[in-house]
Amino acid sequence: MRTTTHNLRVDGSRLWSTILETATFGATPAGGLNRLTLSPEDGQVRDWFREACEAAGLEVGVDALGTQFALRRGRDMSRPPVACGSHLDTQPTGGRFDGILGTLAGLEVMRALNDAGIETEAPLLVINWTNEEGSRYAPAMMASAAYAGEFTTEDILSRRDAAGISVGEALDAIGYRGTEPVGARKIGRFVELHIEQGPILEAEGKTIGVVEGGQGIAWFDGTIQGFESHAGTTPMPRRRDALLGLAEIALAVEDVAKAHGPSAVATIGEAVIGAPSRNVVPGQVRFTLDLRDPRSAILDAAEAALRARIDEIAERRRLTVALTRIWRKEPVPFDPAIVDSVEAAAGALGLSHRRMVSGAGHDACNLAGQVPTAMIFVPCRDGVSHNESESATQSDCTAGANVLLHTLLALANAPA
Amino acid sequence: MRTTTHNLRVDGSRLWSTILETATFGATPAGGLNRLTLSPEDGQVRDWFREACEAAGLEVGVDALGTQFALRRGRDMSRPPVACGSHLDTQPTGGRFDGILGTLAGLEVMRALNDAGIETEAPLLVINWTNEEGSRYAPAMMASAAYAGEFTTEDILSRRDAAGISVGEALDAIGYRGTEPVGARKIGRFVELHIEQGPILEAEGKTIGVVEGGQGIAWFDGTIQGFESHAGTTPMPRRRDALLGLAEIALAVEDVAKAHGPSAVATIGEAVIGAPSRNVVPGQVRFTLDLRDPRSAILDAAEAALRARIDEIAERRRLTVALTRIWRKEPVPFDPAIVDSVEAAAGALGLSHRRMVSGAGHDACNLAGQVPTAMIFVPCRDGVSHNESESATQSDCTAGANVLLHTLLALANAPA
């Protein structure tokens, strides 16, 4: 093992140029990307990725759901690979960094190791997971979920998009239905670099997010039933206004999240009045609720507290409120040893950092149950993502890639 | 002048049977009415009305916008007629009483006077105003507005419905483009009987509403601009949630209306999140506001108070809120002498009554600027109107018609 790797750095300009170059595949006029999974543009970036990996001496395989695995041999091929990567597909009006940074940083790490002539103990892997975004096909993080055994390959292959095209047909159309069975590719560790998609790092002036896990999430559908009545003739005390019920509930949601802080977040993202009219007191409202926290106990407690607040509001305002939980995903803790490794790497590189939780879902969250996993975050401007204006700086992308490099080295060169 | 008219009563069963009989023109399966203005069904009820009035010895004329005037001669034809009436057109899913009660009660009053062989000093008039509802053609209360000089006949004749048919063409199709110029028909007084379309009389167990005027109304369009962000990654304190802004504004609207009571009412009837998504913090909401009170000064004060509350909310939540007033109609006071007359008639008939304001618009509100005017209300079940389940009792309809009878007699027989 070389003791001088601590000076090793990626080539930040080279990384940045791969981001710009691949951003031509599916570029939008507004400077973002429309590169839906398994589209022709996705086929183009996959070809680019394969060629670049092969040029860097990596062996590229593809599984039955199109996920690409680019292997860099190690001294001891009996050890399972230490993997990195993310995804190259985007939202319909997506940005140039979401998923792309983590995948291309993996390629840059391999190139930097090549430049320095470094051979690791364990082999290394760069992964491009199919369909992380879940825009064209549900669910999001589709291929990593299948890798983790959550879905069968047959199930996923049969899913159809809005135009009726199946995943299988789309894979064939771009020539990416690989021969490796899904789940067969051994992975020893997984480290995913990603933009934060939130405002914390930028607000605190920190460069590196040391991500300790993924949040748990609970989704609810709600309905509020009051009484529709004439806006001119119904005195205020006699109303059963469903929108005012929603108003109190929305403020209670905010209250409950803050009371269960510091991490809990809760959001009413959709709210619709039934048969709305300018001069009719709203009689019915339906709404959605998204509740997240890294701790299961807090998800439970916040839900209970909110139900109690809703009961009080409903009784006082003479409304009928139903809140139905439609989905719950438990929090995903990342591997503490890898998290420590990320933190140590950031510190050794002299980068400001802070521990945090991922508010959004990632392929790493699906892997974490199978494979010791962690994530590294870098800031994005205003915390904006899923938006053509999504933006990260070359300096921050480089910093993240360096943390990735040193974390992978620590893991790949650790005593077996 | 006969001094025994105080014993005179309408025939409540006969009135009820006219309501049921005319309810066959445009009947819906749910027991309501779909009798849009100037439709074939409206033509049928107009023909029925003309024939019934003529059979009762009334002379029926029609103006250029189809409004029917049924005249009962008086002893002194130099006096302008004392008029009653309402409208026979309905909402697409309307009830059997809204407008219909006031028009058919007018006919019943004439029949009762005939039965008793009574000749009034001033002549009497029963009016069926064209297009009160404003469903097929805008605006509502179209013909009475033209009578009052608010629109020219040519303007109204040229208005087209969603199928492109003009008012003129629709009048011709049912043969009701009359020869009388709009506004030419002299009216000395106008009294309109109507269901309350609100819950107050029923809640208080009162039979007669002595209506002192029509409310003033102000309509606003509002927009709230915050910042759209990820529901999972944006901490609560960093959000600029436009829906929470709406929630506070809606509760402030309720507060302000109650603080400016007892008559002020305020309603957000429409509220829409821009580009809503279950996992996105709402960044934009647009909404409508309907504010009403019988006093101009209160409309002004409530608007000012609400704007102050909105400014505070916007600043505290770092939102941009715009509230634009798009319409203002001043309150319409009815004639105090006629209002007193209605009250006296209700009292003399031994009917429970209370003074109140009309929350909804009526033809009487358009007439009030031209002609001394008042209204009489009777309860409707649950205050529901503009709904096929709209319902009033035979007893209440009879009571209202009796108050109408005696009010008209008092007016028509008053010293000139």
Side-chain angles (χ1 to χ4, degrees):
Chain A
M1 184 176 86
R2 286 177 177 270
T3 53
T4 56
T5 55
H6 72 273
N7 286 336
L8 191 60
R9 299 289 182 269
V10 300
D11 183 336
S13 302
R14 183 170 58 192
L15 169 60
W16 193 251
S17 72
T18 63
I19 292 174
L20 296 184
E21 186 178 344
T22 56
T24 60
F25 305 126
T28 65
L33 279 168
N34 179 3
R35 196 163 68 205
L36 295 180
T37 196
L38 307 181
S39 63
E41 295 76 17
D42 188 28
Q44 288 179 298
V45 77
R46 288 163 171 274
D47 292 345
W48 182 97
F49 181 68
R50 174 178 48 74
E51 288 161 18
C53 287
E54 288 174 345
L58 307 179
E59 296 162 36
V60 184
V62 183
D63 77 7
L65 290 179
T67 294
Q68 295 174 288
F69 300 92
L71 181 72
R72 187 177 191 271
R73 300 184 75 81
R75 201 195 58 77
D76 181 355
M77 289 304 294
S78 73
R79 288 173 64 159
V82 172
C84 63
S86 188
H87 63 97
L88 292 174
D89 68 307
T90 77
Q91 292 278 331
T93 50
R96 298 174 301 156
F97 298 89
D98 174 0
I100 296 153
L101 172 62
T103 319
L104 299 184
L107 170 64
E108 173 53 34
V109 163
M110 303 303 130
R111 288 170 163 180
L113 292 172
N114 290 348
D115 291 345
I118 287 170
E119 183 183 41
T120 52
E121 284 296 303
L124 299 174
L125 210 48
V126 186
I127 306 177
N128 170 28
W129 297 100
T130 297
N131 189 25
E132 188 276 349
E133 293 289 359
S135 298
R136 184 179 176 191
Y137 295 102
M141 292 119 47
M142 178 178 88
S144 55
Y147 179 93
E150 199 177 325
F151 302 99
T152 64
T153 303
E154 291 62 43
D155 177 350
I156 297 297
L157 284 173
S158 68
R159 293 188 179 219
R160 294 185 183 277
D161 67 8
I165 301 167
S166 72
V167 171
E169 289 162 349
L171 283 166
D172 290 337
I174 61 170
Y176 272 91
R177 190 196 293 243
T179 51
E180 275 185 45
V182 172
R185 173 70 66 139
K186 267 192 164 30
I187 299 172
R189 299 286 188 278
F190 182 63
V191 184
E192 183 171 1
L193 169 67
H194 207 288
I195 49 168
E196 177 195 342
Q197 297 180 301
I200 297 175
L201 291 175
E202 182 185 56
E204 297 184 2
K206 299 284 187 350
T207 304
I208 297 297
V210 179
V211 192
E212 300 185 276
Q215 292 197 92
I217 173 170
W219 275 1
F220 304 81
D221 280 344
T223 59
I224 305 168
Q225 188 67 47
F227 191 76
E228 223 171 65
S229 59
H230 196 298
T233 64
T234 316
M236 301 305 289
R238 293 200 58 80
R239 296 175 174 213
R240 291 168 55 209
D241 185 329
L243 184 68
L244 293 181
L246 178 78
E248 290 210 46
I249 288 170
L251 294 170
V253 164
E254 181 185 44
D255 256 6
V256 165
K258 287 180 167 176
H260 289 78
S263 302
V265 287
T267 309
I268 293 179
E270 299 182 35
V272 177
I273 299 169
S277 180
R278 202 181 260 287
N279 57 5
V280 175
V281 175
Q284 196 217 48
V285 171
R286 60 168 188 77
F287 65 95
T288 64
L289 174 65
D290 174 315
L291 174 65
R292 305 191 194 201
D293 193 273
R295 293 154 293 173
S296 281
I298 295 293
L299 282 183
D300 295 338
E303 179 179 345
L306 183 60
R307 287 187 182 280
R309 293 286 295 266
I310 286 175
D311 287 348
E312 188 278 327
I313 292 163
E315 176 162 357
R316 179 164 38 78
R317 286 196 171 268
R318 296 173 298 133
L319 303 167
T320 304
V321 183
L323 187 71
T324 308
R325 196 170 76 192
I326 62 168
W327 185 47
R328 166 107 171 211
K329 185 166 113 52
E330 293 311 307
V332 174
F334 289 152
D335 183 83
I338 307 184
V339 175
D340 288 348
S341 214
V342 168
E343 191 172 54
L349 287 158
L351 298 168
S352 58
H353 55 86
R354 64 107 96 192
R355 290 197 168 218
M356 60 190 297
V357 166
S358 175
H362 296 282
D363 293 307
C365 299
N366 283 337
L367 266 284
Q370 308 280 318
V371 169
T373 295
M375 293 189 75
I376 306 163
F377 277 167
V378 291
C380 58
R381 191 180 60 205
D382 292 330
V384 166
S385 186
H386 287 192
N387 187 304
E388 292 161 285
S389 67
E390 178 186 274
S391 179
T393 66
Q394 180 175 332
S395 170
D396 287 343
C397 290
T398 305
N402 281 323
V403 174
L404 180 66
L405 166 65
H406 286 281
T407 304
L408 293 176
L409 281 175
L411 294 175
N413 289 333
Chain B
M1 185 177 83
R2 285 175 177 272
T3 54
T4 56
T5 55
H6 72 276
N7 286 335
L8 190 60
R9 299 290 181 269
V10 300
D11 181 337
S13 303
R14 185 170 56 193
L15 169 60
W16 194 251
S17 71
T18 63
I19 292 172
L20 296 184
E21 186 178 344
T22 56
T24 60
F25 305 125
T28 66
L33 279 168
N34 179 3
R35 194 162 70 205
L36 295 181
T37 196
L38 307 181
S39 63
E41 294 76 17
D42 188 28
Q44 288 179 299
V45 78
R46 286 163 171 275
D47 291 346
W48 181 98
F49 181 68
R50 173 178 48 75
E51 288 161 16
C53 287
E54 287 174 346
L58 308 179
E59 297 161 37
V60 184
V62 182
D63 77 7
L65 290 179
T67 294
Q68 294 173 291
F69 299 92
L71 180 72
R72 186 177 191 273
R73 301 183 75 79
R75 201 197 60 75
D76 181 356
M77 289 305 293
S78 72
R79 290 172 62 158
V82 172
C84 63
S86 189
H87 62 96
L88 291 173
D89 68 307
T90 76
Q91 291 279 331
T93 50
R96 298 175 301 156
F97 299 89
D98 173 1
I100 295 152
L101 172 62
T103 319
L104 299 184
L107 169 64
E108 174 51 35
V109 164
M110 305 302 131
R111 286 171 164 180
L113 291 173
N114 291 348
D115 290 347
I118 287 170
E119 183 183 41
T120 53
E121 286 294 304
L124 302 172
L125 210 48
V126 185
I127 306 175
N128 169 29
W129 297 101
T130 298
N131 190 24
E132 189 277 347
E133 293 291 359
S135 299
R136 183 180 177 192
Y137 295 101
M141 291 120 45
M142 179 179 88
S144 55
Y147 179 94
E150 200 177 327
F151 303 98
T152 64
T153 302
E154 290 63 44
D155 176 350
I156 298 296
L157 284 173
S158 68
R159 293 184 179 224
R160 292 186 183 278
D161 68 9
I165 301 167
S166 72
V167 170
E169 289 160 350
L171 283 166
D172 290 337
I174 60 168
Y176 272 91
R177 189 197 292 246
T179 52
E180 275 186 45
V182 172
R185 174 71 65 140
K186 268 194 166 25
I187 299 171
R189 300 285 186 278
F190 183 62
V191 184
E192 183 169 2
L193 169 67
H194 207 287
I195 47 168
E196 178 194 344
Q197 297 181 303
I200 298 176
L201 291 176
E202 183 186 55
E204 296 186 4
K206 298 283 189 347
T207 305
I208 296 296
V210 179
V211 192
E212 299 184 277
Q215 293 197 92
I217 170 169
W219 274 359
F220 304 81
D221 281 344
T223 59
I224 304 169
Q225 189 67 45
F227 191 76
E228 223 171 66
S229 58
H230 195 297
T233 64
T234 316
M236 302 304 290
R238 293 199 59 80
R239 296 177 173 211
R240 290 167 56 210
D241 186 329
L243 184 67
L244 292 179
L246 177 79
E248 290 209 47
I249 289 171
L251 294 169
V253 164
E254 180 185 43
D255 256 4
V256 165
K258 288 179 165 176
H260 289 79
S263 301
V265 287
T267 310
I268 293 180
E270 300 181 35
V272 177
I273 298 169
S277 181
R278 202 181 261 284
N279 57 5
V280 176
V281 175
Q284 197 216 47
V285 172
R286 61 168 187 78
F287 65 95
T288 64
L289 174 66
D290 174 313
L291 174 64
R292 305 191 194 201
D293 192 273
R295 293 153 294 172
S296 282
I298 295 293
L299 283 183
D300 295 336
E303 179 179 344
L306 183 60
R307 287 186 183 281
R309 293 286 296 266
I310 285 174
D311 287 347
E312 189 278 326
I313 292 163
E315 175 162 357
R316 177 164 39 78
R317 287 195 171 268
R318 297 173 297 133
L319 303 166
T320 304
V321 183
L323 187 71
T324 307
R325 197 171 74 190
I326 62 166
W327 184 47
R328 167 108 171 210
K329 184 165 113 48
E330 293 310 308
V332 174
F334 289 152
D335 182 84
I338 307 184
V339 173
D340 287 349
S341 213
V342 167
E343 190 173 55
L349 288 159
L351 298 167
S352 58
H353 55 87
R354 63 108 95 193
R355 290 194 169 220
M356 61 191 295
V357 167
S358 174
H362 296 280
D363 294 305
C365 299
N366 283 336
L367 267 281
Q370 308 280 318
V371 168
T373 295
M375 293 190 75
I376 306 163
F377 278 167
V378 290
C380 57
R381 189 179 61 208
D382 292 331
V384 165
S385 185
H386 287 193
N387 188 304
E388 290 161 288
S389 69
E390 178 186 273
S391 179
T393 66
Q394 180 175 333
S395 169
D396 288 342
C397 289
T398 305
N402 281 323
V403 175
L404 180 66
L405 165 65
H406 286 280
T407 304
L408 294 177
L409 280 176
L411 294 175
N413 288 333

